Amino acid sequence: MFNRIILLFTLILPFHASFAQPTINIAGSSTILPLMADAANAYQAIAPTIKITVSGGGSGTGINAVINGIVDIGMSSRQPTATEKAKLSENFDIIDIARDAVAITVSKAVIESGVHSLSLEQVADIYRGKINNWKQVGGFDKKILVIDKEPSRGTRHVFAKTILGDAKARAPGANIISGSNNEERSIISRSKQAIGMLSHAWLNDRARGIALTLDNGKTVSASPADVLSGSYPIQRSLSIIVAKKRSKTLQAFIEFLQSPALAPLIKKNGYLPLV
Amino acid sequence: MWLRSWIRFSVIASLALVLLFVGFLLSASAPFFFNYGLSPIIAREWYPYENLYGLLPALIGSAWVIVIALSLALPCGLATAIVSVEILPQRYHGLINVCIDILAGIPSVVYGLLGIALLLPWLENNLDLLSGHSLLAAGLLLSVMILPTITRLSQDALRDVDTSYREAARSLGLDWSQRLFSVLLPQAWPGIRSASLLATGRGLGETIAVMLVVGSIDRIPQPWYNLLAPAQTITSRIGREMGEASVGSSQWSALMACALVLTLSVLLLSLLAQRPART
């Protein structure tokens, strides 16, 4: 009988220990998600007793979740809106951890058809519905599949601010609306005629970033050189939002996120380190 | 004794839950109807940032999707039920039921992924579309998803037709199609009717699969019967925006109003399905 009780205890104890583990919950921008997941893994190698969960949902979700106390860290890849700012007020810190460029992304076939760069004006006209065929910008005779993003997504805010002049501008030329970077990339790479906006880290062979011709005639792309020099116009800070009142465990992790140790992970994910 | 009180408790609890849900939705969407009245229901533009909350495109989208789904699933489901109950010998019943149950058991997100991987490219290539995202894609996907509900409930309805009717029809010398259309289907009609209504309710509420293939854009199809256009449904709107709306904001209460409209229509359908129809 005693043996059984002891056996039971030995079975329960390890579980009990894992429940007592300090946990850091993180949610928000799907742009920062892959970087944060890597950072969490790296940090757990240093501090194995701490459990970190990372999930997506978009910048809007991240900001709201941290305000409502659902998560410890909210990830945001855009500036908070006025209403969000009012709620964040004095009680939260916004900490930049990296920089990112939003690439105007097109299907592989579009580039192969001869469209090698677009001007900011052309991209705006495509999203306003004034240009709707690739032949109008030097490509093949195919209609443009214009993909817009859910309005709260950080990528969309940055894109719309630079291209359409206002982070909340309408895009009447859009054909469909997608959510995460992942969803949008799969639509672009499946299509032959799509244009969309992706965080630079999500580009691949079938969803390629297209170079932009600036008003001064210079052509720039979402490459590290052009982003860091500031000449690539659609760029932003990737930041985290945390309550000012925070535990030591949380503070230690945040210091890790700001340390140079994060730089290789940031580069690996296609973003640009600040330190 | 305890059994009776347990049953009584359960009944009261389920009733209370329904009232609680509806009450919550009413109170959460009240600010919206207070500020904007009922006019958003027929307004066309939904731009939360500009405080425009027009429900019409999503309502039309939901209606189209369910019409497409029903017009495919009802004939197919009914035919399956007739074949499996009236024609096939008993030993095949198990096989058919297993197939239908598997169809019913597939999670809806898996249907959505299958839709993205197979249905969208197929539509895109065969109908020469800009992208496969469309009302048609959502309707096709949904028809498969409500097929099990219709089939299973229609089977039950057919089985419930008294054997004496079948025997009487046969002894009158009616042939198969006469027996089917003048005896079996009219007798089973109340059951088939509630099957379709329940399936409609299920279909209206389906979110993730529809959201992945419908295109999620707030636009009324042009012209109105253009089923190949991307559109929005009430559920895909709620699914896409609920996470980003901060609790208590006007966008939040507008989404709650969407949820209220949806819940009320599904409740209405369930009530209609309950009422025994006269034959």
Side-chain angles (χ1 to χ4, degrees), chain A residues 30 57-61 64 147-153 175-184 186-187, chain B residues 46 48-49 112 116 120 133-134 206-218 230-246 251 255 258:
Chain A
S30 70
S59 298
T61 307
N64 277 316
I147 308 171
D148 196 4
K149 252 182 178 342
E150 293 169 3
S152 75
R153 297 279 174 174
N175 298 110
I176 56 175
I177 291 178
S178 81
S180 63
N181 279 306
N182 203 354
E183 185 185 1
E184 179 151 355
S186 78
I187 299 172
Chain B
W46 176 280
Y49 284 142
I116 289 183
L120 294 187
H133 294 83
S134 58
E206 178 49 48
T207 305
I208 186 78
V210 168
M211 187 173 117
L212 287 172
V213 299
V214 81
S216 303
I217 194 151
D218 268 285
Q232 177 89 291
T233 66
I234 301 181
T235 50
S236 68
R237 145 91 44 67
I238 299 175
R240 286 228 183 259
E241 290 185 17
M242 205 65 230
E244 72 191 44
S246 50
Q251 186 187 7
L255 289 173
C258 292

Side-chain angles (χ1 to χ4, degrees), chain B:
Chain B
M1 191 57 215
W2 62 269
L3 184 65
R4 184 177 290 177
S5 41
W6 169 244
I7 291 174
R8 203 170 285 163
F9 169 77
S10 310
V11 170
I12 293 172
S14 354
L15 255 176
L17 266 181
V18 172
L19 289 179
L20 191 73
F21 277 143
V22 176
F24 169 75
L25 286 176
L26 274 174
S27 72
S29 57
F32 174 75
F33 289 116
F34 238 67
N35 284 341
Y36 300 94
L38 288 175
S39 60
I41 291 182
I42 50 160
R44 289 157 175 264
E45 290 186 313
W46 176 280
Y47 290 102
Y49 284 142
E50 301 171 29
N51 280 326
L52 291 171
Y53 300 103
L55 287 178
L56 193 62
L59 287 173
I60 293 182
S62 278
W64 264 128
V65 168
I66 200 69
V67 164
I68 301 171
L70 265 186
S71 58
L72 287 167
L74 191 58
C76 295
L78 199 52
T80 315
I82 292 169
V83 168
S84 66
V85 174
E86 302 294 330
I87 300 178
L88 284 181
Q90 189 82 43
R91 64 174 181 279
Y92 293 113
H93 290 190
L95 182 68
I96 288 193
N97 289 346
V98 166
C99 293
I100 295 168
D101 289 348
I102 290 176
L103 217 52
I106 297 176
S108 73
V109 67
V110 175
Y111 275 113
L113 293 177
L114 286 176
I116 289 183
L118 305 174
L119 185 60
L120 294 187
W122 186 82
L123 286 174
E124 204 174 312
N125 296 331
N126 286 286
L127 298 173
D128 195 27
L129 295 179
L130 203 48
S131 89
H133 294 83
S134 58
L135 287 169
L136 182 65
L140 286 173
L141 207 56
L142 206 55
S143 72
V144 183
M145 299 179 69
I146 62 174
L147 189 64
T149 312
I150 293 187
T151 312
R152 275 303 213 167
L153 292 174
S154 306
Q155 280 179 335
D156 291 345
L158 283 169
R159 272 198 208 102
D160 285 348
V161 176
D162 204 280
T163 320
S164 61
Y165 286 105
R166 291 194 180 80
E167 282 163 0
R170 211 169 290 200
S171 55
L172 282 173
L174 298 181
D175 65 17
W176 164 238
S177 65
Q178 284 169 319
R179 287 204 313 266
L180 180 67
F181 288 111
S182 7
V183 181
L184 285 174
L185 287 184
Q187 282 300 316
W189 173 241
I192 295 169
R193 179 172 155 281
S194 37
S196 342
L197 289 172
L198 286 177
T200 310
R202 158 110 169 72
L204 274 179
E206 178 49 48
T207 305
I208 186 78
V210 168
M211 187 173 117
L212 287 172
V213 299
V214 81
S216 303
I217 194 151
D218 268 285
R219 216 166 277 166
I220 297 171
Q222 296 293 337
W224 60 273
Y225 51 81
N226 181 8
L227 302 183
L228 302 177
Q232 177 89 291
T233 66
I234 301 181
T235 50
S236 68
R237 145 91 44 67
I238 299 175
R240 286 228 183 259
E241 290 185 17
M242 205 65 230
E244 72 191 44
S246 50
V247 177
S249 65
S250 61
Q251 186 187 7
W252 191 76
S253 74
L255 289 173
M256 284 299 171
C258 292
L260 182 71
V261 170
L262 189 65
T263 310
L264 288 182
S265 18
V266 174
L267 275 181
L268 186 72
L269 286 170
S270 314
L271 286 178
L272 285 176
Q274 291 299 320
R275 205 189 50 156
R278 272 169 235 280
T279 40

Side-chain angles (χ1 to χ4, degrees), chain A residues 71-89:
Chain A
V71 297
D72 305 303
I73 301 181
M75 303 182 281
S76 174
S77 48
R78 61 167 166 83
Q79 295 297 311
T81 61
T83 35
E84 285 167 350
K85 254 189 198 136
K87 285 187 180 167
L88 290 168
S89 67

Side-chain angles (χ1 to χ4, degrees), chain A:
Chain A
M1 186 63 201
F2 243 135
N3 281 349
R4 276 198 198 167
I5 293 175
I6 290 169
L7 182 70
L8 205 66
F9 265 98
T10 46
L11 282 176
I12 290 172
L13 268 178
F15 285 106
H16 184 255
S18 78
F19 279 126
Q21 245 183 331
T23 308
I24 300 176
N25 293 312
I26 308 172
S29 164
S30 70
T31 304
I32 313 181
L33 180 66
L35 167 63
M36 192 57 86
D38 283 352
N41 276 335
Y43 191 65
Q44 273 165 332
I46 311 171
T49 52
I50 293 167
K51 198 175 156 221
I52 304 177
T53 66
V54 190
S55 59
S59 298
T61 307
I63 296 172
N64 277 316
V66 78
I67 290 174
N68 296 331
I70 299 166
V71 297
D72 305 303
I73 301 181
M75 303 182 281
S76 174
S77 48
R78 61 167 166 83
Q79 295 297 311
T81 61
T83 35
E84 285 167 350
K85 254 189 198 136
K87 285 187 180 167
L88 290 168
S89 67
E90 302 291 293
N91 304 323
F92 292 87
D93 282 328
I94 303 177
I95 302 166
D96 293 350
I97 55 173
R99 282 200 83 71
D100 172 42
V102 174
I104 306 295
T105 313
V106 296
S107 308
K108 186 182 176 185
V110 171
I111 297 210
E112 284 172 349
S113 84
V115 186
H116 295 294
S117 73
L118 292 169
S119 70
L120 294 179
E121 198 55 41
Q122 283 172 325
V123 179
D125 282 349
I126 289 174
Y127 274 87
R128 292 200 178 107
K130 289 181 194 153
I131 294 180
N132 49 33
N133 195 309
W134 284 114
K135 76 179 173 196
Q136 288 168 271
V137 289
F140 49 14
D141 181 13
K142 269 191 193 280
K143 278 193 164 176
I144 305 180
L145 169 59
V146 186
I147 308 171
D148 196 4
K149 252 182 178 342
E150 293 169 3
S152 75
R153 297 279 174 174
T155 313
R156 204 225 181 238
H157 277 231
V158 181
F159 168 87
K161 195 170 177 208
T162 320
I163 300 288
L164 302 171
D166 173 11
K168 299 167 178 178
R170 299 181 184 189
N175 298 110
I176 56 175
I177 291 178
S178 81
S180 63
N181 279 306
N182 203 354
E183 185 185 1
E184 179 151 355
R185 181 173 69 182
S186 78
I187 299 172
I188 296 175
S189 42
R190 210 166 38 71
S191 172
K192 292 183 188 65
Q193 54 217 68
I195 186 168
M197 56 195 96
L198 281 184
S199 166
H200 170 247
W202 289 80
L203 297 177
N204 65 12
D205 179 54
R206 292 171 66 187
R208 297 187 184 178
I210 195 161
L212 290 176
T213 312
L214 301 180
D215 295 340
N216 60 16
K218 245 179 92 181
T219 301
V220 291
S221 67
S223 64
D226 287 344
V227 176
L228 277 190
S229 76
S231 53
Y232 186 78
I234 323 173
Q235 57 168 293
R236 57 175 163 180
S237 296
L238 304 183
S239 42
I240 53 172
I241 298 163
V242 274
K244 282 217 163 81
K245 269 190 198 163
R246 50 192 181 237
S247 66
K248 277 191 181 137
T249 326
L250 193 53
Q251 179 59 28
F253 180 62
I254 288 163
E255 277 164 16
F256 170 77
L257 290 178
Q258 292 173 285
S259 72
L262 202 65
L265 299 178
I266 294 175
K267 280 185 196 150
K268 184 196 136 201
N269 280 288
Y271 305 129
L272 300 158
L274 301 173
V275 282

